[in-house]
Amino acid sequence: MAWSTMLCICRLRYNVVSASRIKTFVVEYSTRTLVEVGKLETPKIQGKYDAGQLFLHRVFGYRGVILFPWSARVYDRDILANKKATKTPDSEVNTSNQIGREVKGRNHMYYQVLIDSRDCPHIRAQTEAVTFLGQQENSKSLYAIPGLDYAAHEDVLPYRTTEHQPLCHELFEKFLMPDPDKDPPFEARETLRAWQEKNHPWLELSDVHKETTENIRVTVTPFYMGCRESQSSTVFWWRYCIRLENLGELSVQLRERHWRIFSLSGTLETVRGRGVIGQEPVLSPQQPAFQYSSHISLQAPSGHMWGTFRMEREDGHTFDCRIPPFSLESKNEDNNLPTGGV
């Protein structure tokens, strides 16, 4: 399908993984109500997208708009495994559960984005995943900004809208203003720049960790949230986002989780349980991805986590899918408390 082809989206289900899949998607649901939203544009192989670029998410299919970019270090353990398989000079490297400098990071472009609220009920990703600590020093409460997400450069399918309302989100008009002379035809407001600067420490995406086991790819992105002090202790908080993708042809279901959490204070905690966030998601060829976020607190400024997901294939085969180890690192803080407010 040519990138200039008119794009239609079915509100009943979203599964956009490539240009060719979009065509299949439209044909498959041609007997149901379709909504015309715009024309696809050619994705950028080089360079980055500007603020105000409308896009479809390649995996989750939601409509979104780019706010600003992040340059992150991606640590892909699959690359190291492939080197060992081909017996390159790096094949002596140990790939056991260590955070280790044995996995070399590479810079990769990500984006802070807003999700169209009309699409939130139809996607297999938490739409309240970006959370902040409560603004009181002794508060243990968390609050979220709905419809805020991170998208990798390759997950952005840019398009030009034909809708009267380009995107539904309460922050869209606060952060962006129309500019028909620009491409994309939106410009960042000073409100967005001020909000980004104020919340930079709590929004910053710096490290991304990936590993694949039996065609199930797990991607982990940790974020430091800040610390809270009391007379007796200091507690440091992180959130982490996990994306699971089924790269195979057989459906797989997540049954159990098993975490190991090490704190710089010297403690090692084991956490086991059914599913994740109260769900046991199925990763099928039709809906191959699932994304969720959770939180961890330590009474130490750093630590690390690793673990496994117990997966069950449709043929009954079970296996442990590795969660790549990742560091929990705190940052120097000033007196400003994190806030998502605008």
Side-chain angles (χ1 to χ4, degrees):
M1 180 177 70
W3 286 105
S4 59
T5 301
M6 188 66 71
L7 173 66
C8 295
I9 296 296
C10 173
R11 293 202 187 282
L12 299 179
R13 180 167 152 198
Y14 289 79
N15 183 25
V16 180
V17 294
S18 67
S20 59
R21 289 296 294 274
I22 293 173
K23 181 176 180 180
T24 304
F25 179 80
V26 173
V27 172
E28 182 181 355
Y29 291 93
S30 60
T31 59
R32 303 186 184 185
T33 302
L34 297 177
V35 179
E36 183 180 289
V37 299
K39 293 183 178 180
L40 284 170
E41 299 178 327
T42 303
K44 290 185 177 181
I45 305 301
Q46 302 292 332
K48 66 178 185 288
Y49 295 102
D50 295 325
Q53 175 65 63
L54 297 171
F55 71 95
L56 293 176
H57 195 285
R58 180 184 63 89
V59 174
F60 296 110
Y62 63 71
R63 286 168 287 182
V65 65
I66 289 173
L67 298 180
F68 45 82
W70 292 111
S71 180
R73 295 288 289 176
V74 176
Y75 298 88
D76 192 340
R77 300 178 77 85
D78 296 340
I79 295 176
L80 185 65
N82 290 337
K83 286 182 178 180
K84 286 181 66 67
T86 55
K87 297 182 179 180
T88 64
D90 291 335
S91 62
E92 298 298 322
V93 176
N94 179 15
T95 59
S96 61
N97 279 335
Q98 300 175 14
I99 302 306
R101 304 176 175 90
E102 76 273 9
V103 182
K104 295 182 179 179
R106 56 182 177 83
N107 290 328
H108 195 72
M109 188 63 64
Y110 284 77
Y111 301 95
Q112 196 84 64
V113 305
L114 294 179
I115 303 173
D116 195 310
S117 60
R118 296 168 292 187
D119 299 344
C120 288
H122 308 286
I123 60 179
R124 303 187 76 206
Q126 284 179 296
T127 56
E128 296 186 354
V130 180
T131 50
F132 297 83
L133 288 176
Q135 297 187 34
Q136 302 300 319
E137 279 290 348
N138 58 355
S139 171
K140 295 182 180 180
S141 63
L142 302 174
Y143 66 97
I145 298 181
L148 193 63
D149 196 16
Y150 296 82
H153 183 85
E154 65 273 15
D155 288 338
V156 172
L157 298 177
Y159 76 94
R160 182 173 291 274
T161 185
T162 57
E163 292 186 294
H164 175 70
Q165 188 171 14
L167 192 98
C168 289
H169 192 288
E170 62 180 355
L171 296 179
F172 180 65
E173 293 184 355
K174 292 181 180 179
F175 284 167
L176 299 164
M177 58 184 172
D179 186 346
D181 296 328
K182 286 181 78 279
D183 185 20
F186 300 97
E187 184 175 355
R189 295 182 186 270
E190 184 58 37
T191 310
L192 174 59
R193 299 187 184 97
W195 183 81
Q196 177 186 3
E197 181 178 356
K198 187 175 184 179
N199 293 285
H200 182 279
W202 329 111
L203 291 169
E204 184 180 16
L205 186 159
S206 56
D207 295 340
V208 178
H209 304 265
K210 298 184 177 186
E211 186 166 5
T212 303
T213 307
E214 297 196 29
N215 288 323
I216 303 299
R217 177 187 292 157
V218 178
T219 302
V220 184
T221 310
F223 300 87
Y224 179 59
M225 298 177 66
C227 69
R228 289 293 178 265
E229 297 181 1
S230 66
Q231 292 182 346
S232 58
S233 66
T234 300
V235 179
F236 298 82
W237 285 82
W238 293 263
R239 70 178 184 272
Y240 55 92
C241 177
I242 292 188
R243 180 160 126 184
L244 297 103
E245 294 177 82
N246 184 359
L247 308 179
E249 298 180 355
L250 296 178
S251 294
V252 179
Q253 186 168 13
L254 190 158
R255 292 298 192 183
E256 300 175 3
R257 68 189 185 279
H258 176 204
W259 282 105
R260 302 277 279 174
I261 305 164
F262 177 77
S263 169
L264 187 63
S265 62
T267 62
L268 179 61
E269 182 181 1
T270 298
V271 177
R272 294 180 182 268
R274 297 287 298 181
V276 291
I277 60 168
Q279 301 182 49
E280 296 181 21
V282 175
L283 309 177
S284 66
Q286 294 74 34
Q287 294 185 312
F290 180 81
Q291 182 172 291
Y292 76 96
S293 289
S294 191
H295 304 87
I296 181 70
S297 62
L298 301 176
Q299 292 185 335
S302 65
H304 55 264
M305 296 175 63
W306 69 94
T308 57
F309 293 123
R310 173 57 59 91
M311 313 297 291
E312 182 179 357
R313 282 204 311 244
E314 62 181 76
D315 60 7
H317 172 67
T318 61
F319 61 95
D320 287 331
C321 177
R322 292 182 297 276
I323 304 170
F326 57 97
S327 295
L328 302 170
E329 300 292 344
S330 59
K331 301 176 182 178
N332 292 327
E333 301 180 42
D334 54 26
N335 293 326
N336 292 327
L337 293 173
T339 172
V342 178

